[in-house]
Every structure is written in C-alpha cells, then in structure tokens.
Amino acid sequence: MTDPIRIDVWSDIACPWCYIGKRNLENGLAAVAAEDDPPAVEVTYHSYELSPDTPVDFDGDEIDFLSGHKGMPREQVEQMLDRVTQVAAEAGLEYHFEHVRHTNTVKAHELLHAAKAAGRQHEMAERLMSAYFVEGAHVGRIDGLVDLAAEVGLDRDEIRQALESEQYLPAVREDQAQAQSYGITGVPFFVIDGKYGVSGAQPADAFAQITRQVWAERTPAAVATSD
C-alpha cells in the first residue's frame, strides 16, 4: 500500500490567512477524496509565531495592533481587514475582527503539540482558530486554553500541567527552527511530501491539483513494485 502524502503546515493561531489556508486545504482534500483512487493524506500542523514579542494582554483592538505593528494608517488597516473578511467568507469562515483579542500565541502552540500527542491536533487547531477569529475568545491564557482543550476531549488536568510546565515548548521551538532552515518567512506555508513548498492561502483547487500530481507521481512506482 502506498504511504500517505505528508502535508506539513506552518501557521500561527493569530494569522487570518492561516485559517483561510487551513479551510481551503481541507476543501481541496475533500474534493480529491471523492475521486477514483483517492490519495491518502496525512496533515500535520507546525508552530510559527508571527509576533512573538506580543504581550499576553494587548491593550487595544486588532486595528490598533496592526497600525502599530505594520505602521499603517487605521483607515488602511480597516480596508485590509474588510478584504480579509471577504476572502474568509468565500472559504466559509465568518471573521469578526471587531471582537478579536490580540495576544501572544506561544501557549496556544504548546497546546497544539499537546493535542498532537493525544491524537487531537486537527480538532484543536480548528477550535483555537475559531475561538480567536469567530468568537473573539482570549487564546493566550492557560485557563482559557484548558477550557478549549476540554471541548475537544482533552484532559483538563493533563493539559494544565503541560502548559504550566512548558512541557511542549521545546517542540514549538523545534518547529520554528525547522521553518528557519526551510527559509520560511511568512505563513501559512505548506510543505508537500517534503519536496514541494506552497506559500500562502491558495485556493482549494490548487491544493487539490498538487495533491493529485503528487499521488500520480507515486502511482507508477507503486505499480512497478507490485509487479
């Protein structure tokens, strides 16, 4: 049996394009899964902090943050967020930037690694991004993260202990070092089967196409081996 295609995704919880890219990837994979000879795919999420110097409790809204971080006028930031909201809607996501509570995301990344160890990383990534962009939840404090972890079936006490002890912080740093070695300077970034790099929130069709291509490249080898 042919090994699954591995898709490694570098992203940040607080990156609006990362959630859009996540949903487009899922929609693209769903499309090819309905075809004849559907490819087997294994998706793993990796940590990338866009703004590691952000305080846990940022004093201001998303426009304040981006205005200061990017040096852009508020009006320009508002236009940019309106555009992102529109693109998100096209992907089936309902963003509410007016409720977003900007925060440091390192603990959320630690939680993603804890969830990965428990076999719940995909559910955890979805819950964190939805909480941040749709619900306006605070995803930088341990108490809130424990609540979100419990919602996807993770053990409260185990998660709290892992976050308080920084058990998975080395794994976060390892992901970041890997991103640096790949030359990744922005997210989302997708590494397909260790040989194709895809940058940005590409349309679902693009993800479907490259998945078909990689699977087709593997098929002749698999047939030859069986012969």
Side-chain angles (χ1 to χ4, degrees):
M1 184 176 179
T2 306
D3 291 335
I5 296 171
R6 181 177 175 86
I7 301 181
D8 293 287
V9 186
W10 271 263
S11 64
D12 193 1
I13 300 303
C15 166
W17 293 106
C18 291
Y19 197 9
I20 294 169
K22 176 181 183 295
R23 186 62 84 248
N24 286 348
L25 172 64
E26 291 166 347
N27 290 338
L29 295 180
V32 296
E35 299 172 353
D36 294 336
D37 186 29
V41 180
E42 180 181 286
V43 179
T44 302
Y45 290 94
H46 298 275
S47 301
Y48 190 101
E49 290 180 89
L50 284 172
S51 304
D53 58 344
T54 304
V56 172
D57 294 302
F58 177 76
D59 185 16
D61 60 18
E62 187 74 356
I63 297 176
D64 292 326
F65 176 81
L66 291 173
S67 295
H69 189 68
K70 295 182 178 292
M72 298 165 57
R74 287 184 65 88
E75 183 178 344
Q76 187 177 350
V77 172
E78 289 174 353
Q79 292 173 352
M80 181 181 70
L81 294 181
D82 286 344
R83 172 58 182 157
V84 176
T85 300
Q86 179 182 344
V87 176
E90 293 168 359
L93 301 170
E94 186 177 346
Y95 281 5
H96 292 285
F97 283 110
E98 70 276 15
H99 300 314
V100 163
R101 303 172 74 180
H102 207 85
T103 185
N104 189 290
T105 59
V106 69
K107 283 297 177 187
H109 285 294
E110 291 178 39
L111 175 54
L112 279 175
H113 280 280
K116 177 184 176 184
R120 297 289 179 90
Q121 190 190 45
H122 289 198
E123 296 92 333
M124 196 72 256
E126 178 66 26
R127 188 67 195 94
L128 283 166
M129 289 182 172
S130 177
Y132 186 81
F133 287 108
V134 179
E135 301 162 31
H138 198 304
V139 299
R141 302 190 195 113
I142 289 178
D143 286 348
L145 292 172
V146 168
D147 288 342
L148 293 173
E151 289 182 25
V152 301
L154 298 176
D155 183 88
R156 282 179 170 274
D157 293 337
E158 290 180 4
I159 293 300
R160 181 175 294 280
Q161 190 279 331
L163 295 179
E164 290 178 347
S165 68
E166 299 185 342
Q167 177 182 348
Y168 291 97
L169 183 58
V172 173
R173 301 304 183 218
E174 184 177 340
D175 277 354
Q176 293 169 331
Q178 183 69 68
Q180 187 174 16
S181 71
Y182 279 155
I184 298 172
T185 58
V187 288
F189 194 92
F190 306 81
V191 177
I192 316 293
D193 241 19
K195 56 183 180 179
Y196 297 111
V198 177
S199 179
Q202 300 297 321
D205 288 348
F207 287 117
Q209 182 177 352
I210 192 169
T211 304
R212 293 188 195 102
Q213 175 187 329
V214 173
W215 194 245
E217 290 171 358
R218 287 172 164 219
T219 303
V223 172
T225 300
S226 64
D227 292 344

